[in-house]
Each structure stands twice: as C-alpha cells, then as structure tokens.
C-alpha cells in the first residue's frame, strides 16, 4: 500500500472536547507552565494544542484565583489535522483555520504546539490503537472513530491539567499517555490536497 493510502485528515478529541490551538479557543495572552522544567517557568501557550472543558463557574473560579490569564472565545471549528504517512510514522500538518499549512512540533520545553515549517519537518509520531496497543492500520480499520494514543520517539503525548478549565498537550518521558478520539474526515489524501 502507498503512503497516500495510509494518509488521512482527521480531528482529535479528549473526553468529548475538541483539540485545538489555544489562540483559536481564547482571547488574550495564554500563559502555560513548562512541563519539563522544575521549578516550572511560564511559556507563551498561544500555539499549544489543548482543550477546554469547563463550565462558566469553573472559568470564573480559575480567573478569580489568577490561574487563567485569558478569556474564552466563541467555539472554533474543529481543527483538521493531516496525518501524512511515511516509512517512519506520521507527521501532522494543520489543514484548517489560521494555522493552515503549519506543522505539529514538540518544543524543547515539552509542549505540543503548532508552528510554521522552516528547516525542520514536524515531529514524527506513532499512532497507536488504544484497543490493541498496536500501530493503527487505517486501511484495515473500517470505523472512522477510533481511540488512539500518540507517541514520539518513545515519549507519549499526555495532557497537562490547566485547572480548572481544561488541559494542554505535552510530550516527554514522564508524561501519562492520553487517550484521544480520532475522527477521520477523509481517507487516502495526497500531500497537496486539503479537506
């Protein structure tokens, strides 16, 4: 089978909440804690991937405590990700919204964030089917919604809590593997095509 046959466009969710970039879901400066540094230091989290799953009361509580530095925006359209297959695994590219054409990278601080593609290809990922623990074979998978986890160079993608409003994606050796719901929108997608 060709790489094209194994490439697809999909969205991701965590516990029913869509994964998107924080600058698409919020207004104002997004400050997140570095997941790798101890003590943690503040990072610009605008382009980090994450999710918001809170009530209005939780949002107000987080702001009252000074834990949340930004405002919630209107819910954006789901973030479309192009999973481009290669012999080594998958690289993820953005196929919707203001970050269209950019890639998904693990930063030096351990954040999973979206950035323009320059001299380096986006981070390489293994897509693991949660039910089997094996690499996902999109060709033999008939359903379009599958629970998965993502692993990069043996480091799992995890979710750092952003109490009390949601969480943001991180990837490092000590991260607890996060189960994601993969919803395939389009299969057999060429590199140059969008949904």
């Amino acid at each position: 089978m060709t790489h094209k046959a194994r490439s697809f466009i999909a969205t991701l969710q965590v516990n029913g909440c869509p994964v998107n970039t924080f600058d698409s879901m919020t207004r104002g400066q997004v400050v997140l804690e570095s997941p790798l540094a101890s003590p943690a230091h503040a990072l610009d989290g605008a382009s980090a991937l994450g999710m918001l799953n809170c009530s209005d009361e939780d949002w107000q509580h987080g702001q009252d405590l000074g834990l949340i530095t930004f405002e919630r925006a209107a819910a954006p359209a789901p973030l479309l990700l192009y999973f481009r297959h290669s012999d080594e695994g998958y690289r993820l590219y953005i196929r919707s919204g203001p970050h269209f054409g950019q890639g998904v990278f693990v930063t030096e601080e351990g954040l999973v964030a979206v950035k323009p593609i320059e001299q380096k290809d986006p981070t390489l990922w293994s897509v693991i089917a949660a039910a089997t623990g094996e690499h996902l074979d999109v060709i033999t998978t008939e359903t379009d919604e599958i629970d998965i986890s993502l692993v990069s160079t043996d480091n799992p993608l995890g979710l750092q809590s952003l109490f009390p409003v949601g969480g943001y994606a991180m990837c490092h050796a000590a991260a607890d593997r996060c189960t994601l719901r993969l919803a395939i929108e389009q299969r057999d997608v060429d590199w140059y095509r969008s949904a």
Side-chain angles (χ1 to χ4, degrees):
M1 289 290 172
T2 65
H3 293 310
K4 175 179 175 272
R6 295 184 186 281
S7 297
F8 56 92
I9 291 176
T11 61
L12 293 172
Q13 294 181 356
V14 177
N15 298 325
C17 299
V19 172
N20 212 318
T21 57
F22 274 94
D23 62 0
S24 298
M25 301 183 289
T26 65
R27 292 185 303 273
Q29 185 178 16
V30 178
V31 178
L32 303 176
E33 287 186 355
S34 59
L36 283 179
S38 183
H41 60 271
L43 298 173
D44 177 2
S47 65
L49 292 181
M51 40 73 78
L52 298 174
N53 64 346
C54 60
S55 65
D56 290 340
E57 293 78 22
D58 285 343
W59 193 270
Q60 189 61 50
H61 181 61
Q63 289 187 319
D64 291 345
L65 292 174
L67 300 172
I68 308 303
T69 60
F70 43 87
E71 296 289 331
R72 193 166 27 179
L79 182 67
L80 292 176
L81 294 162
Y82 173 46
F83 286 72
R84 184 179 188 198
H85 187 265
S86 70
D87 289 334
E88 296 80 34
Y90 283 94
R91 296 191 193 277
L92 278 56
Y93 299 85
I94 307 303
R95 287 294 178 256
S96 65
H99 295 285
F100 186 97
Q102 296 183 7
V104 176
F105 292 84
V106 176
T107 69
E108 290 178 6
E109 294 88 6
L111 283 181
V112 179
V114 173
K115 5 189 256 193
I117 299 162
E118 293 166 349
Q119 285 89 19
K120 235 170 117 179
D121 285 329
T123 299
L124 192 61
W125 298 94
S126 296
V127 180
I128 308 298
T132 64
E134 302 293 326
H135 288 266
L136 176 69
D137 184 350
V138 73
I139 293 171
T140 61
T141 302
E142 293 180 7
T143 181
D144 286 337
E145 290 199 7
I146 309 126
D147 286 339
I148 62 155
S149 59
L150 293 172
V151 178
S152 176
T153 59
D154 295 327
N155 293 330
L157 181 141
L159 201 64
Q160 178 83 21
S161 175
L162 185 58
F163 180 81
V165 300
Y168 54 97
M170 60 176 179
C171 182
H172 58 83
D176 289 329
R177 189 180 291 204
C178 175
T179 299
L180 301 154
R181 172 61 56 98
L182 177 79
I184 298 173
E185 302 279 331
Q186 186 178 348
R187 294 172 183 258
D188 197 31
V189 180
D190 265 337
W191 166 238
Y192 57 85
R193 297 213 27 207
S194 62

